Amino acid sequence: MNDQFNLAEAAAQSVLQRCTLRPRIGLILGSGLGAFADSLTDSTRIPFAEIPAFPLSTAIGHTGQMVIGMAGTVPVAAMQGRVHLYEGYSPQQVAFPMRVFGRMGIRAVILTNAAGGINLTYKQGALVLISDHINLQGNNPLAGPNNDRFGPRFPDMTHAYEKSYRELARAEARNLGMTLHEGVYAALLGPSYETPAEIQYLRTIGADLVGMSTVFEVLAARHMGIKVLAISCVTNMAAGILDQPLSHQEVLETGERVKTSFEALLRAVLPRIESDPDIAPQK
Ligand code: HPA
């Protein structure tokens, strides 16, 4: 069962062949949050369709390309768009881009997503560091025969969201005069939004945020020992909190509205993560 490994290796080599930069940090940019990749300099854009075995995103607001470029002084690989379980992809396909990051030699990632706010102290447009997750997607990309070349059969998830990265993100947010919350992200299958009763249930079990992504990517990242920082943008309050229907349009509009501060935070955080000795390129 070396299939995923060999496919990820081939995809990684095909990406690296097309650029001279060697990205140190991987980014996966969520709904309405992909604009950061447009701000990279010296960039090479590779449509997902041109990367072997790469899943193609179908969601509106997801461009579907990998952009390799410089964020200031930091070489990064940014996925502008991701794929979701609700699109009909398998858990392994959803995690595949993270596998490719791993084979590209990337040892730290920043994941962003749009999420519904369950915690009543959040407001629309709030940015929230994910401190932990609850996987309610009913599946796991690590299920099936384990590939030891990626990582162990039973990977630990106690420190899935790197504490030191959260601390430095909080410090950089403070420098920028931004409020940065912290919370637990619950991932559901979707694509329907939750019912108010489901949101009440999620609050009861300890979730602050709800969304349809990120968790499979984190599971694959941690399987490979890749360190993770994840940030949600509360694009809407979760179902039933405000007496109004949820819409994907609202999700995209809020992403657009927080773009500038979100990008400033990413730019400030990247060089701090790059200086983590644990993620130095392996010889
Ligand atoms: N629920 C699930 N996913 C989401 C939401 C939500 O309210 N907002 C953005 N993604």
Side-chain angles (χ1 to χ4, degrees):
M1 275 303 291
N2 293 327
D3 257 18
Q4 285 286 313
F5 189 92
N6 291 335
L7 289 173
E9 181 66 30
Q13 292 314 321
S14 96
V15 168
L16 291 178
Q17 262 167 29
R18 291 180 59 167
C19 53
T20 48
L21 289 183
R22 288 296 169 260
R24 296 284 314 283
I25 298 173
L27 294 131
I28 301 184
L29 303 167
S31 299
L33 306 170
F36 180 73
D38 296 327
S39 73
L40 300 177
T41 55
D42 300 323
S43 62
T44 305
R45 289 155 200 284
I46 308 177
F48 292 163
E50 295 174 17
I51 307 174
F54 224 71
L56 305 183
S57 49
T58 64
I60 302 163
H62 288 257
T63 310
Q65 58 182 1
M66 191 183 298
V67 185
I68 315 275
M70 299 295 291
T73 58
V74 186
V76 301
M79 293 244 310
Q80 215 170 20
R82 56 154 61 91
V83 297
H84 305 81
L85 198 60
Y86 67 71
E87 293 173 81
Y89 291 106
S90 68
Q92 287 78 13
Q93 283 176 303
V94 172
F96 188 71
M98 186 60 69
R99 298 304 197 186
V100 175
F101 277 167
R103 297 313 305 155
M104 286 167 64
I106 285 170
R107 311 293 306 144
V109 292
I110 305 180
L111 309 179
T112 71
N113 63 46
I118 297 174
N119 186 318
L120 297 172
T121 69
Y122 300 165
K123 302 263 181 308
Q124 195 176 31
L127 298 183
V128 187
L129 286 172
I130 300 179
S131 58
D132 204 346
H133 72 227
I134 303 174
N135 179 7
L136 296 172
Q137 296 198 297
N139 215 322
N140 190 311
L142 311 184
N146 185 56
N147 190 322
D148 297 329
R149 291 204 276 173
F150 280 133
R153 171 75 288 187
F154 299 110
D156 179 59
M157 290 295 150
T158 312
H159 303 293
Y161 299 83
E162 180 66 28
K163 192 160 171 245
S164 61
Y165 289 2
R166 278 184 275 143
E167 280 163 5
L168 66 84
R170 266 200 303 275
E172 292 305 325
R174 220 176 297 123
N175 288 341
L176 292 164
M178 291 168 57
T179 304
L180 190 55
H181 302 269
E182 192 159 312
V184 173
Y185 177 90
L188 273 65
L189 170 62
S192 47
Y193 289 115
E194 302 70 36
T195 63
E198 286 165 343
I199 294 303
Q200 182 54 48
Y201 155 75
L202 293 173
R203 184 178 294 122
T204 306
I205 65 170
D208 299 297
L209 300 155
V210 60
M212 309 170 190
S213 68
T214 307
V215 163
F216 287 176
E217 295 150 3
V218 172
L219 294 169
R222 296 308 300 146
H223 189 220
M224 295 181 284
I226 294 174
K227 291 188 175 181
V228 175
L229 177 71
I231 309 173
S232 287
C233 170
V234 176
T235 52
N236 55 280
M237 291 313 287
I241 295 179
L242 310 173
D243 190 23
Q244 65 188 40
L246 310 189
S247 79
H248 189 54
Q249 196 52 37
E250 183 183 27
V251 169
L252 297 183
E253 281 168 12
T254 309
E256 185 63 28
R257 189 158 60 74
V258 304
K259 189 169 104 174
T260 311
S261 54
F262 209 169
E263 285 186 25
L265 181 62
L266 290 180
R267 275 189 184 279
V269 162
L270 281 165
R272 301 279 311 267
I273 292 183
E274 192 198 23
S275 65
D276 174 3
D278 280 1
I279 68 152
Q282 288 159 340
K283 290 279 172 292

